[in-house]
Amino acid sequence: MAHDHNVNPNAPLEYQSETGRLNITGFWTFLGAEIALFSTLFASYFALQARVGDGPTSNEMFEAGLVMIMTMLLLTSSFTCGIAIHEMRANNKKGVIIWMIITLILGAGFIGYELYEFVHYVHEGVTLSTSAHWSMFFILLGTHGLHVSIGIGWIILLLIQLARRGLTPKTASKVFISSLYWHFLDVVWIFIFTCVYLMGMVN
Amino acid sequence: MLKKLKPLSLLLFLALPLMLAGCSTPEVLDPKGPVASQQSDLIILSIIFMLTIVAVVFVLLTIILVKYRERKDHDKYSPELHGSMLLETIWTIIPIIIVVILAIPTVRTIYNLEEAPEAKTAEAANEDPLVIEATSINWKWVFTYPEEDIETVNYLHIPIHRPVEFKLTSADNMAALWIPSLGGQKYAMSGMQTTLFLQADEAGEYNGRNANFTGEGFNEQRFVVYAEEEEDYGQWVEEVQDSAPELTQYEYDELLIPGVYEEGTAEFNGTHLQWIDHSKDAEYTLEAWERLGYEPKNPHAKDKSQNILPEDEIPYYQQDNTVDYSDENMDHENMGNEEHASHE
Amino acid sequence: MDLKWNEFIITGDPLILGAQISILLGSIAVVAALTYFKKWTWLWKEWLTSVDHKKLGIMYILSALLMLFRGGIDGLMIRTQLAKPGMEFLDPQHYNEVFSTHGVIMILFMAMPFLIGLINYIVPLQIGARDVAFPYLNNLSFWTFFVGMALFNISFIIGGSPDAGWTAYTPLATNEFSPGPGQNYYLLAIQIAGIGTLMTGINFFVTILKMRTKGMTLMKMSMFTWTTLITMLIIIFAFPVLTVALALQTFDRLFGSVIFTLQGDGNPMLWVNLFWVWGHPEVYIVILPAFGIFSEIISTFARKQLFAYKAMVVSIVTISVLSFLVWVHHFFTMGNSAEANSFFSITTMAISIPTGVKIFNWLFTMYRGRISFTTPMLWALAFIPNFVIGGVTGVMLAMAAADYQYHNTYFLVSHFHYVLISGTVFACFAGLIYWYPKMFGHKLNEKIGKWAFWIFIIGFNVCFFPQYFLGLDGMPRRISTYTEADGWTGLNFISTIGAFMMGLAFLIFVVNIVYSWRFSPREKTGDAWGLGRNLEWATSSSIPPHYNFAVLPEVTGLDPYWDMKEKGLDQQKNVDYKPIHMPNNAATPIIMSVIMGAAAFGLVFHWYWIGIVGGIGIFITMIARSFDYNDGYYVSVEEIKETEAKANK
């Protein structure tokens, strides 16, 4: 890129090159757009929440135990992801890789449970076509789940690169950005947990 | 160059009153009832303000272009001038004042139009508004007089000097009922009801139509309003009640198949409300299609023919399907969005 | 979908057949010419895979001009059909397709890419940068836009165009009322192009925030850069709403969800809300950069600094905030509560306040100036009175109680054409003519340009001014014909004459491009008009070298280049050059976008397996990109010296 290649050795690794800095700012901006995206999905979900038609309501379907496990998995993965970045600051490549793999396993567990939940609902006869409410439920959660799945695939690619190239300003900024993404998805899940599951079970 | 620009702007400015004078009064500015006349007053008020603003800008622009165009002696050139607290304050405050002046009558009229227009005569004051349920179907209008228990297609009669409360709904697409001479439009949507108050003060025939695009037959979704003296209106109602055929469910369901109403207009005894209130059940039309064997087809399909089953081949119509929609337990949901709550 | 093979290609309409033949012949001619002149490699290396913001800008503008032609033909077809009562030039179905594509193309595939093209070319120069923050992404943005555009445009020859209006209101746009592939094209083509726009938004937002040259604080940026910054911010927050809305309708049409449908307790009004939550900010996305362009041009040719710079900045920020608070005014008639309608009436009218401030500031920029009437200046000057007419009728429409009478009529049609044409289209013409020497090294002929200008301006007013009266006389929009008894014949006929005048002006404009390419004198300096004020004119040669500036300029105030000229500085001369780092070309974006287009094309016809294969293809290209550690290259000092020495000789 037509950017200054002066490296600032005093900054954290991911901020040392200008490309790294730009990418991080760019990614924060992207997360702004993602907030708008999920806000729209949430708004649509709220607008359709009561429109269950002939289908069941949320509290007839939701199971608290399953959701608690999913929430714990994702929250823990955010924590382990944070440790991985901490290891990166300490310049410990092995630590980064180990903690990121733990993060990924937790994320995969989350996706597994989500798939189980969806399949379970379909078996119970609740599908995308059941009612406006359930259409929005599957699309909102599906969008989040798709994000997590893409995140898993992406981080795997980054770990391969990290293993091959070691911790450089470039790989570091990539890993750092993926961690921002991961934390963001965790925050979105907290909103889903509160607005979809908790409120759905209370109503 | 400038010589060309100046007459153009003048021409534009002059064109407005000229066009107003040259053509006959546009329908919207020739109101035939209290709703349309409130709107027309508001429109004329705004036009006066807007013409003033346009005049100020045009004059200012012309003066500036003439005075500061490039020429040999440019002693007036002051490139250092690029701000003035006083001027900027003036042209911030004046628009604010104009917006406030226009907002007050706007808001007042918005609230007025939510209510039935005030009765002008003593006898009209004792009467409730005439309730007409207007249902848009691709591409016709069905008008239901629940009190009188009659139904018309693509025309309606109303008494003058008495407010009419249109309860709007749609069997399928989002449409808008609009009778420009009597007042502005409102959307008719399936699964919900909206209310539009209108009133005619002069007897006559007025054009009405669906103003909101609904597809291929949209052009033809028009109707005529016959506004007449109370006695004439009463006579018409009786006539329909005496002579119009009974509406059957099969006949009504046939109306739900998209198409222009070939017969033009029709009237029936009895209303479709005995089987369906579209404001409470949005799916009915699609169910009727299925019963009758109608299938939506690609507009570019080579074969667009439909195979509609006759009444005696459909067991559904051999039974009594009357539904009582008066039951408030069926209370249909508000549309999930407070702003669009239907008006009961 | 049970689409029969003989329905795949649209046949039986002479107009469409004509278009099919001309497209076929045109494509053959282009391919033949490229092969004959052995230009394929050149096209691939110099243009298609280029990450140079200037080349991408030009490609955007060329696409936009092509779409202006296509959308313009649609417009002329609409006007021909309406010229007289009972015309049978287009049947209702065809008419519906034509006005639907006219709307989509003009807004999304003409106005936006035209402005984004100008932004691409000019903004990095104005902030004294060598490229954008993410050059690779910039190329990808262009290709997703281009593929989306191509997908949308093939709809009328393959499968049929969308016919539910550019607003695609549900339930009209659901499977039951819009069967056939048309609406799928709308959803998928706009989705793909929209992703590109969002990436442009992020790219330029970061570029302007992070890559300004030394000394250029936010309050020293040119007005065009400011409007771009704010526009990009609007894009970042508005386009995801469109993404979601389109995705939800796509799910309804392709995967059986029941969100906007009559079945399953769906809510069609949710689409209307989502569409306009995006749609209204979208209007400002295409108008704010136009304001920026006019600010540049008026200040340049009045030879004065922009009047009340700070107030201008505050105005655009205010407008951008208000733009998210007015969407309900697009459906005052939907039975909203009186409170809601009053609130949105007032917020809408409030937009006229900052806009009015801007109009007066432009007027007073010229006050005590020395105005030269060049063609770009004429377009900018014509903008003021015409936009004021569009603006005041906008205030009239904002008055909800009166809007019940204007809504869905030609009054509205006239209003938005007045603001969008005199705002955006005039700005596109003005900006293109103004920056033309920067892009191509020569000016457009002024004399021919003025002919085009006057014919367009007069045609524009002849076309749209009568439509205000048609609206007040009860003529609804989107009707395909009317009767003699409606009394709209005369004004409609006048309106059609005006439309053809605009068409003629466009042709003259194109002739001017060809004529000027042959005969216009080549520019000798970077400052073609001799009056340049901002850094885009500070380059050493008329067309900037691919690295833009051999030495990044330093800025001390507003209108930095004007300042340098006053002080007699030339920052590009007699300095020690250093090697310049530049990004490499990229081939993955075009490949990825084409795969995306193919996948979407499959989905249009419910061929899900193509969608799945395409999805996998997209992931493979993304993985390839992730492993690409190509860091670009350095332009050597010798090459810089050579380039700079050759500048304008």
Side-chain angles (χ1 to χ4, degrees), chain A residues 35-62:
Chain A
I35 289 172
L37 183 110
F38 277 102
S39 307
T40 314
L41 285 169
F42 275 108
S44 306
Y45 180 78
F46 282 126
L48 300 177
Q49 198 172 23
R51 303 179 78 97
V52 290
D54 304 327
T57 58
S58 301
N59 59 358
E60 290 169 38
M61 300 301 297
F62 289 161

PDB file of all heavy atoms in Angstrom, chain A residues 35-62:
ATOM      1  N   ILE A  35     -22.796  -3.314  13.772  1.00  0.00           N
ATOM      2  CA  ILE A  35     -23.760  -2.926  14.817  1.00  0.00           C
ATOM      3  C   ILE A  35     -25.061  -2.510  14.147  1.00  0.00           C
ATOM      4  O   ILE A  35     -26.151  -2.908  14.569  1.00  0.00           O
ATOM      5  CB  ILE A  35     -23.186  -1.791  15.694  1.00  0.00           C
ATOM      6  CG1 ILE A  35     -22.059  -2.342  16.570  1.00  0.00           C
ATOM      7  CG2 ILE A  35     -24.285  -1.169  16.562  1.00  0.00           C
ATOM      8  CD1 ILE A  35     -21.291  -1.284  17.332  1.00  0.00           C
ATOM      9  N   ALA A  36     -24.947  -1.712  13.061  1.00  0.00           N
ATOM     10  CA  ALA A  36     -26.158  -1.293  12.347  1.00  0.00           C
ATOM     11  C   ALA A  36     -26.896  -2.524  11.813  1.00  0.00           C
ATOM     12  O   ALA A  36     -28.122  -2.603  11.880  1.00  0.00           O
ATOM     13  CB  ALA A  36     -25.797  -0.346  11.210  1.00  0.00           C
ATOM     14  N   LEU A  37     -26.142  -3.493  11.318  1.00  0.00           N
ATOM     15  CA  LEU A  37     -26.754  -4.702  10.762  1.00  0.00           C
ATOM     16  C   LEU A  37     -27.528  -5.472  11.825  1.00  0.00           C
ATOM     17  O   LEU A  37     -28.704  -5.796  11.661  1.00  0.00           O
ATOM     18  CB  LEU A  37     -25.661  -5.586  10.162  1.00  0.00           C
ATOM     19  CG  LEU A  37     -26.149  -6.855   9.476  1.00  0.00           C
ATOM     20  CD1 LEU A  37     -25.946  -6.724   7.978  1.00  0.00           C
ATOM     21  CD2 LEU A  37     -25.406  -8.077   9.968  1.00  0.00           C
ATOM     22  N   PHE A  38     -26.858  -5.717  12.960  1.00  0.00           N
ATOM     23  CA  PHE A  38     -27.548  -6.481  14.000  1.00  0.00           C
ATOM     24  C   PHE A  38     -28.673  -5.674  14.629  1.00  0.00           C
ATOM     25  O   PHE A  38     -29.709  -6.237  15.001  1.00  0.00           O
ATOM     26  CB  PHE A  38     -26.549  -6.992  15.047  1.00  0.00           C
ATOM     27  CG  PHE A  38     -25.864  -8.259  14.618  1.00  0.00           C
ATOM     28  CD1 PHE A  38     -24.566  -8.244  14.127  1.00  0.00           C
ATOM     29  CD2 PHE A  38     -26.538  -9.467  14.671  1.00  0.00           C
ATOM     30  CE1 PHE A  38     -23.947  -9.409  13.713  1.00  0.00           C
ATOM     31  CE2 PHE A  38     -25.918 -10.644  14.259  1.00  0.00           C
ATOM     32  CZ  PHE A  38     -24.629 -10.617  13.773  1.00  0.00           C
ATOM     33  N   SER A  39     -28.508  -4.347  14.730  1.00  0.00           N
ATOM     34  CA  SER A  39     -29.605  -3.530  15.269  1.00  0.00           C
ATOM     35  C   SER A  39     -30.843  -3.688  14.412  1.00  0.00           C
ATOM     36  O   SER A  39     -31.959  -3.800  14.923  1.00  0.00           O
ATOM     37  CB  SER A  39     -29.226  -2.051  15.306  1.00  0.00           C
ATOM     38  OG  SER A  39     -28.026  -1.872  15.974  1.00  0.00           O
ATOM     39  N   THR A  40     -30.643  -3.690  13.084  1.00  0.00           N
ATOM     40  CA  THR A  40     -31.788  -3.845  12.193  1.00  0.00           C
ATOM     41  C   THR A  40     -32.437  -5.203  12.393  1.00  0.00           C
ATOM     42  O   THR A  40     -33.660  -5.318  12.436  1.00  0.00           O
ATOM     43  CB  THR A  40     -31.336  -3.696  10.733  1.00  0.00           C
ATOM     44  OG1 THR A  40     -30.496  -2.552  10.631  1.00  0.00           O
ATOM     45  CG2 THR A  40     -32.513  -3.526   9.814  1.00  0.00           C
ATOM     46  N   LEU A  41     -31.604  -6.236  12.535  1.00  0.00           N
ATOM     47  CA  LEU A  41     -32.169  -7.567  12.764  1.00  0.00           C
ATOM     48  C   LEU A  41     -32.947  -7.616  14.074  1.00  0.00           C
ATOM     49  O   LEU A  41     -34.043  -8.168  14.145  1.00  0.00           O
ATOM     50  CB  LEU A  41     -31.050  -8.616  12.766  1.00  0.00           C
ATOM     51  CG  LEU A  41     -30.486  -8.967  11.386  1.00  0.00           C
ATOM     52  CD1 LEU A  41     -29.217  -9.795  11.530  1.00  0.00           C
ATOM     53  CD2 LEU A  41     -31.510  -9.736  10.565  1.00  0.00           C
ATOM     54  N   PHE A  42     -32.366  -7.013  15.116  1.00  0.00           N
ATOM     55  CA  PHE A  42     -33.069  -7.003  16.402  1.00  0.00           C
ATOM     56  C   PHE A  42     -34.374  -6.232  16.294  1.00  0.00           C
ATOM     57  O   PHE A  42     -35.416  -6.674  16.781  1.00  0.00           O
ATOM     58  CB  PHE A  42     -32.188  -6.374  17.495  1.00  0.00           C
ATOM     59  CG  PHE A  42     -31.249  -7.347  18.136  1.00  0.00           C
ATOM     60  CD1 PHE A  42     -29.893  -7.298  17.879  1.00  0.00           C
ATOM     61  CD2 PHE A  42     -31.738  -8.327  18.995  1.00  0.00           C
ATOM     62  CE1 PHE A  42     -29.025  -8.207  18.452  1.00  0.00           C
ATOM     63  CE2 PHE A  42     -30.867  -9.241  19.582  1.00  0.00           C
ATOM     64  CZ  PHE A  42     -29.511  -9.183  19.307  1.00  0.00           C
ATOM     65  N   ALA A  43     -34.336  -5.065  15.635  1.00  0.00           N
ATOM     66  CA  ALA A  43     -35.554  -4.265  15.491  1.00  0.00           C
ATOM     67  C   ALA A  43     -36.619  -5.064  14.759  1.00  0.00           C
ATOM     68  O   ALA A  43     -37.791  -5.075  15.150  1.00  0.00           O
ATOM     69  CB  ALA A  43     -35.247  -2.965  14.752  1.00  0.00           C
ATOM     70  N   SER A  44     -36.200  -5.769  13.713  1.00  0.00           N
ATOM     71  CA  SER A  44     -37.168  -6.570  12.964  1.00  0.00           C
ATOM     72  C   SER A  44     -37.723  -7.686  13.842  1.00  0.00           C
ATOM     73  O   SER A  44     -38.908  -7.992  13.798  1.00  0.00           O
ATOM     74  CB  SER A  44     -36.507  -7.180  11.728  1.00  0.00           C
ATOM     75  OG  SER A  44     -35.912  -6.171  10.961  1.00  0.00           O
ATOM     76  N   TYR A  45     -36.842  -8.277  14.639  1.00  0.00           N
ATOM     77  CA  TYR A  45     -37.300  -9.353  15.519  1.00  0.00           C
ATOM     78  C   TYR A  45     -38.352  -8.830  16.492  1.00  0.00           C
ATOM     79  O   TYR A  45     -39.390  -9.446  16.692  1.00  0.00           O
ATOM     80  CB  TYR A  45     -36.112  -9.963  16.273  1.00  0.00           C
ATOM     81  CG  TYR A  45     -36.522 -11.074  17.204  1.00  0.00           C
ATOM     82  CD1 TYR A  45     -36.809 -12.337  16.708  1.00  0.00           C
ATOM     83  CD2 TYR A  45     -36.660 -10.849  18.566  1.00  0.00           C
ATOM     84  CE1 TYR A  45     -37.216 -13.358  17.550  1.00  0.00           C
ATOM     85  CE2 TYR A  45     -37.062 -11.864  19.421  1.00  0.00           C
ATOM     86  CZ  TYR A  45     -37.344 -13.117  18.909  1.00  0.00           C
ATOM     87  OH  TYR A  45     -37.745 -14.122  19.742  1.00  0.00           O
ATOM     88  N   PHE A  46     -38.074  -7.648  17.068  1.00  0.00           N
ATOM     89  CA  PHE A  46     -39.043  -7.079  18.003  1.00  0.00           C
ATOM     90  C   PHE A  46     -40.362  -6.772  17.300  1.00  0.00           C
ATOM     91  O   PHE A  46     -41.434  -7.001  17.848  1.00  0.00           O
ATOM     92  CB  PHE A  46     -38.493  -5.806  18.652  1.00  0.00           C
ATOM     93  CG  PHE A  46     -37.522  -6.090  19.749  1.00  0.00           C
ATOM     94  CD1 PHE A  46     -36.259  -5.539  19.751  1.00  0.00           C
ATOM     95  CD2 PHE A  46     -37.887  -6.948  20.789  1.00  0.00           C
ATOM     96  CE1 PHE A  46     -35.368  -5.820  20.760  1.00  0.00           C
ATOM     97  CE2 PHE A  46     -36.998  -7.235  21.808  1.00  0.00           C
ATOM     98  CZ  PHE A  46     -35.735  -6.669  21.794  1.00  0.00           C
ATOM     99  N   ALA A  47     -40.264  -6.249  16.073  1.00  0.00           N
ATOM    100  CA  ALA A  47     -41.483  -5.891  15.347  1.00  0.00           C
ATOM    101  C   ALA A  47     -42.337  -7.125  15.082  1.00  0.00           C
ATOM    102  O   ALA A  47     -43.553  -7.017  14.972  1.00  0.00           O
ATOM    103  CB  ALA A  47     -41.131  -5.188  14.042  1.00  0.00           C
ATOM    104  N   LEU A  48     -41.714  -8.277  14.986  1.00  0.00           N
ATOM    105  CA  LEU A  48     -42.460  -9.482  14.629  1.00  0.00           C
ATOM    106  C   LEU A  48     -42.653 -10.432  15.804  1.00  0.00           C
ATOM    107  O   LEU A  48     -43.231 -11.506  15.647  1.00  0.00           O
ATOM    108  CB  LEU A  48     -41.736 -10.221  13.493  1.00  0.00           C
ATOM    109  CG  LEU A  48     -41.551  -9.432  12.204  1.00  0.00           C
ATOM    110  CD1 LEU A  48     -40.759 -10.253  11.199  1.00  0.00           C
ATOM    111  CD2 LEU A  48     -42.891  -9.045  11.594  1.00  0.00           C
ATOM    112  N   GLN A  49     -42.153 -10.030  16.965  1.00  0.00           N
ATOM    113  CA  GLN A  49     -42.120 -10.954  18.100  1.00  0.00           C
ATOM    114  C   GLN A  49     -43.498 -11.536  18.419  1.00  0.00           C
ATOM    115  O   GLN A  49     -43.624 -12.724  18.693  1.00  0.00           O
ATOM    116  CB  GLN A  49     -41.572 -10.229  19.326  1.00  0.00           C
ATOM    117  CG  GLN A  49     -41.097 -11.186  20.382  1.00  0.00           C
ATOM    118  CD  GLN A  49     -40.376 -10.452  21.489  1.00  0.00           C
ATOM    119  OE1 GLN A  49     -40.587  -9.268  21.697  1.00  0.00           O
ATOM    120  NE2 GLN A  49     -39.525 -11.157  22.194  1.00  0.00           N
ATOM    121  N   ALA A  50     -44.522 -10.683  18.358  1.00  0.00           N
ATOM    122  CA  ALA A  50     -45.855 -11.145  18.757  1.00  0.00           C
ATOM    123  C   ALA A  50     -46.578 -11.852  17.618  1.00  0.00           C
ATOM    124  O   ALA A  50     -47.657 -12.395  17.815  1.00  0.00           O
ATOM    125  CB  ALA A  50     -46.675  -9.964  19.240  1.00  0.00           C
ATOM    126  N   ARG A  51     -46.002 -11.825  16.434  1.00  0.00           N
ATOM    127  CA  ARG A  51     -46.730 -12.373  15.279  1.00  0.00           C
ATOM    128  C   ARG A  51     -46.422 -13.853  15.106  1.00  0.00           C
ATOM    129  O   ARG A  51     -45.664 -14.248  14.234  1.00  0.00           O
ATOM    130  CB  ARG A  51     -46.363 -11.565  14.039  1.00  0.00           C
ATOM    131  CG  ARG A  51     -46.654 -10.088  14.229  1.00  0.00           C
ATOM    132  CD  ARG A  51     -46.280  -9.299  13.023  1.00  0.00           C
ATOM    133  NE  ARG A  51     -47.262  -9.426  11.982  1.00  0.00           N
ATOM    134  CZ  ARG A  51     -48.231  -8.555  11.758  1.00  0.00           C
ATOM    135  NH1 ARG A  51     -48.346  -7.498  12.508  1.00  0.00           N
ATOM    136  NH2 ARG A  51     -49.074  -8.742  10.790  1.00  0.00           N
ATOM    137  N   VAL A  52     -47.037 -14.672  15.951  1.00  0.00           N
ATOM    138  CA  VAL A  52     -46.745 -16.091  15.908  1.00  0.00           C
ATOM    139  C   VAL A  52     -47.752 -16.860  15.055  1.00  0.00           C
ATOM    140  O   VAL A  52     -47.575 -18.051  14.815  1.00  0.00           O
ATOM    141  CB  VAL A  52     -46.683 -16.704  17.321  1.00  0.00           C
ATOM    142  CG1 VAL A  52     -45.454 -16.208  18.047  1.00  0.00           C
ATOM    143  CG2 VAL A  52     -47.945 -16.361  18.094  1.00  0.00           C
ATOM    144  N   GLY A  53     -48.806 -16.215  14.617  1.00  0.00           N
ATOM    145  CA  GLY A  53     -49.785 -16.886  13.765  1.00  0.00           C
ATOM    146  C   GLY A  53     -50.337 -18.132  14.438  1.00  0.00           C
ATOM    147  O   GLY A  53     -50.723 -18.101  15.615  1.00  0.00           O
ATOM    148  N   ASP A  54     -50.330 -19.218  13.714  1.00  0.00           N
ATOM    149  CA  ASP A  54     -50.829 -20.478  14.275  1.00  0.00           C
ATOM    150  C   ASP A  54     -49.726 -21.248  14.988  1.00  0.00           C
ATOM    151  O   ASP A  54     -49.965 -22.317  15.550  1.00  0.00           O
ATOM    152  CB  ASP A  54     -51.400 -21.368  13.151  1.00  0.00           C
ATOM    153  CG  ASP A  54     -52.482 -20.645  12.381  1.00  0.00           C
ATOM    154  OD1 ASP A  54     -53.196 -19.836  13.018  1.00  0.00           O
ATOM    155  OD2 ASP A  54     -52.606 -20.866  11.166  1.00  0.00           O
ATOM    156  N   GLY A  55     -48.508 -20.754  14.927  1.00  0.00           N
ATOM    157  CA  GLY A  55     -47.367 -21.482  15.498  1.00  0.00           C
ATOM    158  C   GLY A  55     -47.247 -21.254  16.989  1.00  0.00           C
ATOM    159  O   GLY A  55     -48.000 -20.478  17.588  1.00  0.00           O
ATOM    160  N   PRO A  56     -46.287 -21.927  17.624  1.00  0.00           N
ATOM    161  CA  PRO A  56     -46.086 -21.774  19.064  1.00  0.00           C
ATOM    162  C   PRO A  56     -45.397 -20.451  19.399  1.00  0.00           C
ATOM    163  O   PRO A  56     -44.838 -19.795  18.524  1.00  0.00           O
ATOM    164  CB  PRO A  56     -45.166 -22.948  19.412  1.00  0.00           C
ATOM    165  CG  PRO A  56     -44.439 -23.237  18.148  1.00  0.00           C
ATOM    166  CD  PRO A  56     -45.353 -22.870  17.022  1.00  0.00           C
ATOM    167  N   THR A  57     -45.458 -20.049  20.653  1.00  0.00           N
ATOM    168  CA  THR A  57     -44.730 -18.859  21.092  1.00  0.00           C
ATOM    169  C   THR A  57     -43.342 -19.271  21.554  1.00  0.00           C
ATOM    170  O   THR A  57     -43.037 -20.458  21.665  1.00  0.00           O
ATOM    171  CB  THR A  57     -45.464 -18.186  22.260  1.00  0.00           C
ATOM    172  OG1 THR A  57     -45.586 -19.154  23.309  1.00  0.00           O
ATOM    173  CG2 THR A  57     -46.842 -17.712  21.849  1.00  0.00           C
ATOM    174  N   SER A  58     -42.518 -18.273  21.876  1.00  0.00           N
ATOM    175  CA  SER A  58     -41.141 -18.569  22.283  1.00  0.00           C
ATOM    176  C   SER A  58     -41.104 -19.453  23.513  1.00  0.00           C
ATOM    177  O   SER A  58     -40.396 -20.446  23.539  1.00  0.00           O
ATOM    178  CB  SER A  58     -40.390 -17.280  22.605  1.00  0.00           C
ATOM    179  OG  SER A  58     -40.367 -16.455  21.497  1.00  0.00           O
ATOM    180  N   ASN A  59     -41.891 -19.078  24.542  1.00  0.00           N
ATOM    181  CA  ASN A  59     -41.701 -19.813  25.802  1.00  0.00           C
ATOM    182  C   ASN A  59     -42.249 -21.234  25.736  1.00  0.00           C
ATOM    183  O   ASN A  59     -41.970 -22.039  26.614  1.00  0.00           O
ATOM    184  CB  ASN A  59     -42.238 -19.041  27.013  1.00  0.00           C
ATOM    185  CG  ASN A  59     -43.707 -18.738  26.881  1.00  0.00           C
ATOM    186  OD1 ASN A  59     -44.314 -19.082  25.861  1.00  0.00           O
ATOM    187  ND2 ASN A  59     -44.285 -18.107  27.884  1.00  0.00           N
ATOM    188  N   GLU A  60     -42.968 -21.559  24.679  1.00  0.00           N
ATOM    189  CA  GLU A  60     -43.337 -22.957  24.504  1.00  0.00           C
ATOM    190  C   GLU A  60     -42.162 -23.783  23.975  1.00  0.00           C
ATOM    191  O   GLU A  60     -42.194 -25.008  24.038  1.00  0.00           O
ATOM    192  CB  GLU A  60     -44.522 -23.081  23.533  1.00  0.00           C
ATOM    193  CG  GLU A  60     -45.839 -22.553  24.106  1.00  0.00           C
ATOM    194  CD  GLU A  60     -46.915 -22.433  23.046  1.00  0.00           C
ATOM    195  OE1 GLU A  60     -46.987 -23.305  22.161  1.00  0.00           O
ATOM    196  OE2 GLU A  60     -47.654 -21.448  23.076  1.00  0.00           O
ATOM    197  N   MET A  61     -41.181 -23.109  23.407  1.00  0.00           N
ATOM    198  CA  MET A  61     -40.097 -23.838  22.752  1.00  0.00           C
ATOM    199  C   MET A  61     -38.760 -23.763  23.493  1.00  0.00           C
ATOM    200  O   MET A  61     -37.990 -24.719  23.477  1.00  0.00           O
ATOM    201  CB  MET A  61     -39.881 -23.303  21.329  1.00  0.00           C
ATOM    202  CG  MET A  61     -41.070 -23.418  20.412  1.00  0.00           C
ATOM    203  SD  MET A  61     -41.637 -25.105  20.179  1.00  0.00           S
ATOM    204  CE  MET A  61     -40.213 -25.828  19.410  1.00  0.00           C
ATOM    205  N   PHE A  62     -38.465 -22.588  24.086  1.00  0.00           N
ATOM    206  CA  PHE A  62     -37.114 -22.387  24.616  1.00  0.00           C
ATOM    207  C   PHE A  62     -36.817 -23.291  25.797  1.00  0.00           C
ATOM    208  O   PHE A  62     -37.686 -23.608  26.601  1.00  0.00           O
ATOM    209  CB  PHE A  62     -36.932 -20.928  25.049  1.00  0.00           C
ATOM    210  CG  PHE A  62     -36.870 -19.977  23.887  1.00  0.00           C
ATOM    211  CD1 PHE A  62     -37.095 -18.623  24.071  1.00  0.00           C
ATOM    212  CD2 PHE A  62     -36.570 -20.425  22.612  1.00  0.00           C
ATOM    213  CE1 PHE A  62     -37.035 -17.739  23.008  1.00  0.00           C
ATOM    214  CE2 PHE A  62     -36.504 -19.557  21.554  1.00  0.00           C
ATOM    215  CZ  PHE A  62     -36.749 -18.204  21.759  1.00  0.00           C
TER     216      PHE A  62
END
